[in-house]
Amino acid sequence: MKNILQAGILAVCAVAFLVAGLGLSFGTPAYTDMDDYMLLHGQEETGSNNIVSGVVFDYRGFDTLGEATVLFTVVLGAGLVFRRLGKKEDEYEYE
Amino acid sequence: MIELAIHILLVTGLVISACMVWYMDDLISAAIAFGAFSFLLSLEFLVLQAPDVAIAEAGIGAGLTTAIFVIAIRGTDKKGGDASD
Amino acid sequence: MSMSNLVRSGANILMPFILVFGFYIVVHGHLSPGGGFQGGAVIATAIVLLMVAYSCDEVCTSLSKNILKNSETLGLLLFIGTALFALTAGLAFFGNWILDTGPLFATPVAFGINPGNLNTGGIVPVLNIAVGIEVLGAMGLLILAMLGGMKGDGDAE
């Protein structure tokens, strides 16, 4: 009974996913003012041919700085959690 | 028409591999199925004309996450299933 | 934890190609799809492949933890330093101060659809390389910390 219920839920989710993936149309956002400005002026303002790289590293540089900080914090936390507690000389190895 | 066929194939493979992640008893097999799911998802991103996201998904999802799962499974017990049994 | 001979041979063959592909993605970040984050993740995948195929002790002899730590610190410092140096040129934070000045990365870009020149882009290639170095160090350090923490628990395998 439980397996049948699980299979039914899975089938419903699969059908919904297929309908959402194949039925809806892509590439028609509602508001495109910022996109149009970046596509028109991005190459001469940032100097890079790849417009995604120009947006990520020049227009939205603060976001990339925050992402780098998040990655640094992740490594700091992982080093803090996974440090070796047994040995005295390696206690501050990952910090 | 060929694009629609590729879409249907990839999305069906995504659903099948996601179900395989859920139904697998062996944890290593589930991790490898998750890697296959990530690979199919990166192919789907490539078909949807987002090669940046496809490269990020293939590198992080299919490479690093699978390796982290394999390392974590090797570091713990190999039994899967519920915690009660 | 030691893998079989087949996995080690496959890792030996695959690793240079993954490294070259990752460096290509990082350096060509301002011309082709990709960038610092994706390229750094691909390079870290090569390191992780080496760490999974071989044991932690064999990897740690050739790839020390200090190299990864220093690379992450160097990447962050290069990133923030490049962004801060725009203030001395009279531009805003993250201003493109290399564009049209100096010999490196400063050739004026050809507008419109063009095949691309590697020597263009201003600060965008510099920030790409900085983020690539940083992500490479961060991901490698993450996996190395997990392997080291696992090995500390009475080395079961």
Side-chain angles (χ1 to χ4, degrees), chain C residues 24 26 37 43 48 56 68 71 75 88 90-91 101 113 143 146:
Chain C
Y24 163 75
V26 170
F37 191 74
I43 298 172
V48 166
C56 183
L68 294 174
S71 76
T88 66
L91 292 170
T101 59
I113 299 172
I143 301 287
M146 284 190 72

Side-chain angles (χ1 to χ4, degrees), chain A residues 3 6 12 32 51 56 71-72 82:
Chain A
N3 282 331
Q6 282 181 352
V12 168
T32 62
I51 194 64
V56 165
L71 207 56
F72 183 74
F82 285 105

Side-chain angles (χ1 to χ4, degrees), chain C residues 22-147:
Chain C
F23 279 114
Y24 163 75
I25 288 178
V26 170
V27 173
H28 285 246
H30 58 295
L31 297 178
S32 61
F37 191 74
Q38 289 92 350
V42 171
I43 298 172
T45 303
I47 296 177
V48 166
L49 180 68
L50 203 64
M51 284 179 193
V52 169
Y54 291 84
S55 70
C56 183
D57 292 334
E58 286 174 293
V59 175
C60 289
T61 55
S62 62
L63 183 74
S64 119
K65 212 168 293 135
N66 284 322
I67 295 176
L68 294 174
K69 244 190 292 191
N70 290 335
S71 76
E72 182 179 3
T73 312
L74 184 72
L76 268 178
L77 281 181
L78 186 61
F79 193 84
I80 301 176
T82 309
L84 269 181
F85 200 78
L87 295 178
T88 66
L91 292 170
F93 196 54
F94 278 104
N96 205 338
W97 55 274
I98 310 184
L99 202 60
D100 302 334
T101 59
L104 193 62
F105 295 137
T107 309
V109 68
F111 294 128
I113 299 172
N114 53 351
N117 183 5
L118 199 59
N119 204 9
T120 61
I123 65 168
V124 177
V126 180
L127 295 184
N128 263 322
I129 292 169
V131 170
I133 291 172
E134 197 253 340
V135 171
L136 154 71
M139 297 289 181
L141 211 54
L142 205 62
I143 301 287
L144 209 58
M146 284 190 72
L147 275 176

Side-chain angles (χ1 to χ4, degrees), chain B:
Chain B
M1 192 58 211
I2 185 75
E3 194 176 352
L4 188 66
I6 291 174
H7 266 297
I8 291 174
L9 208 62
L10 282 177
V11 173
T12 313
L14 276 177
V15 172
I16 288 174
S17 60
C19 295
M20 278 173 67
V21 174
W22 196 22
Y23 276 119
M24 271 317 171
D25 283 334
D26 192 12
L27 287 179
I28 293 273
S29 304
I32 299 300
F34 184 74
F37 173 80
S38 275
F39 179 69
L40 286 175
L41 189 60
S42 89
L43 283 184
E44 176 70 23
F45 279 132
L46 190 63
V47 170
L48 288 177
Q49 299 179 6
D52 282 299
V53 193
I55 293 172
E57 180 69 34
I60 293 178
L64 285 174
T65 311
T66 309
I68 285 177
F69 279 161
V70 168
I71 288 170
I73 290 166
R74 277 177 160 271
T76 53
D77 286 338
K78 285 193 176 178
K79 289 177 188 170
D82 295 329
S84 60
D85 54 11

